Every structure is written in C-alpha cells, then in structure tokens.
Amino acid sequence: MKTDDFISLLASGVEPVDRQALPKRFGIAVLTGAAGALLIMAMTLGIRRDLAEVAVTPIFWAKVALPLCLMIGALWMTSRLARPGGRPGGSGWLVATPVVVVWLAAAYVLMAAPDSERLVIVLGKTWRVCPFAIAMLSIPGFIAVFWALKGLAPTRLALTGAAGGLLAGSTATLAYCLHCPEMGIPFWGAWYLLGMLVPTVVGATLGPRLLRW
C-alpha cells in the first residue's frame, strides 16, 4: 500500500471532536447525582417538617452555602483535571475558602459559648448518623461523576478521583440539608465535612484504578 493511500485510509471516517463533551458529561453527572441524592433522602430520611419555616432564615442559607460553594469549587477542579495534564489552578482556593470561613465562624461560636455547652454544640443531636447519611447519599453522584471522568482523559488520577468524590459528596450534602435539623455552625464544620471527606478519600483511592486509560 502506498503512503498516500495509507494516510487517506487513516483519515477516512474521522469525525470532529465535540467541544461541548466536557460540560455535557458533567452536567449529566451533577444532575444525576443531585436527583439520586434527593430521591434516596426523601425515601429513607425524609424532608424536615419545618423546612418552609427555616428556609426563610439566614442561618439555613448559611448552612446551604457550605456544600454549594464546595460543589462549585469541586466542579471547577474536576473539570480542569479531566483534561490531559490538567492542574487544579485557582479551584483549590475556591474549595479551601468556605472550609476556612466555616471553621473560623465555628471557633467564634465555641469561644462565645460556656465551657459546658461546647461539646454539645459540636455534637448536636445527629452526629452519629450525619457522616454516614452523606456518604450514602453521595453514591449516585459518585458513580455518575466517575462515568463522566472515564469518558475524558485525566492524567492526575488520584487527585482527579478525590475532586470527583468531593463533587459527589458536596452534591449529596446539599440534598441532606433538606433533612438535617442541625443549625449549628460547629456541627457543619465537623460532621458535614467529615461526611464529604468519605467519598473524597474513596475517590482518591479508586481514581488510579477506575480512571486509568
């Protein structure tokens, strides 16, 4: 076979790359994760009865802001890392900032509280179940995010897996906010973050295996 014929054969049937593949895949993944988390939460945990009342309070939206900001930061980080040779860039600051803000606010609340009440404030009433509930709700998002990443070309597999796990965990936490009765900042700074840490660690562990290409 002549060289020109061989080149023509390789070039035949080539289709242009879909430049919207990344946002499409992550859009599907986030929507699937959110819908799955909401469905599981509604079926197993239930929505808090006074949601309509607390939804008009600033503290409720402060609670929602933590996982929402982390979800945005994790989505940005995962999208950057999904490309070959991608780096987190400024997305790392977007992930770290809400955590630092919540921890500072939690420290202020605890310092202002009497010594005898500080542990109670941190533990709340649901500390035993909160991290496990968030981890459970993150399963649909975890599967969907890794599906999205598998169709792309990440090279930093452990870091990408961790970012994907955080994206799934923060999406699940958003859904969990509709059930969780806890309104204390120290509680969120401890148990919400621990719940999101579970899929993050699992993602970092499984990333090198599941995302290899």
Side-chain angles (χ1 to χ4, degrees):
M1 180 181 293
K2 296 181 179 180
T3 302
D4 292 342
D5 295 336
F6 181 64
I7 294 174
S8 298
L9 179 62
L10 292 176
S12 62
V14 175
E15 298 180 359
V17 176
D18 184 3
R19 296 185 178 181
Q20 300 301 316
L22 190 148
K24 285 179 181 178
R25 294 185 74 88
F26 278 113
I28 293 172
V30 171
L31 289 176
T32 301
L38 284 170
L39 181 61
I40 296 174
M41 183 272 296
M43 293 177 61
T44 60
L45 302 174
I47 298 175
R48 57 183 297 177
R49 296 179 180 179
D50 61 344
L51 181 60
E53 299 174 12
V54 299
V56 298
T57 62
I59 193 67
F60 174 80
W61 292 105
K63 177 168 75 169
V64 170
L66 172 61
L68 179 61
C69 291
L70 286 173
M71 185 186 75
I72 294 171
L75 179 59
W76 184 19
M77 180 181 293
T78 309
S79 300
R80 290 178 61 90
L81 292 171
R83 299 181 176 90
R87 296 177 178 274
S91 61
W93 289 104
L94 192 56
V95 170
T97 299
V99 176
V100 173
V101 170
V102 166
W103 279 351
L104 290 174
Y108 175 81
V109 171
L110 292 175
M111 287 188 296
D115 294 345
S116 59
E117 296 182 9
R118 289 174 181 170
L119 182 59
V120 175
I121 294 173
V122 172
L123 296 181
K125 298 179 180 179
T126 61
W127 67 275
R128 291 184 179 87
V129 299
C130 175
F132 300 103
I134 291 174
M136 175 185 68
L137 296 178
S138 71
I139 293 174
F142 191 92
I143 296 172
V145 169
F146 269 70
W147 164 82
L149 289 169
K150 188 65 176 178
L152 300 169
T155 52
R156 300 171 181 269
L157 303 186
L159 183 57
T160 305
L166 178 59
L167 177 56
S170 54
T171 304
T173 307
L174 269 175
Y176 185 69
C177 286
L178 302 181
H179 162 79
C180 180
E182 307 289 351
M183 303 298 282
I185 299 175
F187 183 92
W188 318 332
W191 306 108
Y192 276 21
L193 291 177
L194 181 59
M196 287 183 272
L197 183 63
V198 173
T200 302
V201 172
V202 173
T205 304
L206 297 182
R209 297 182 182 181
L210 299 181
L211 302 179
R212 184 179 299 139
W213 53 283

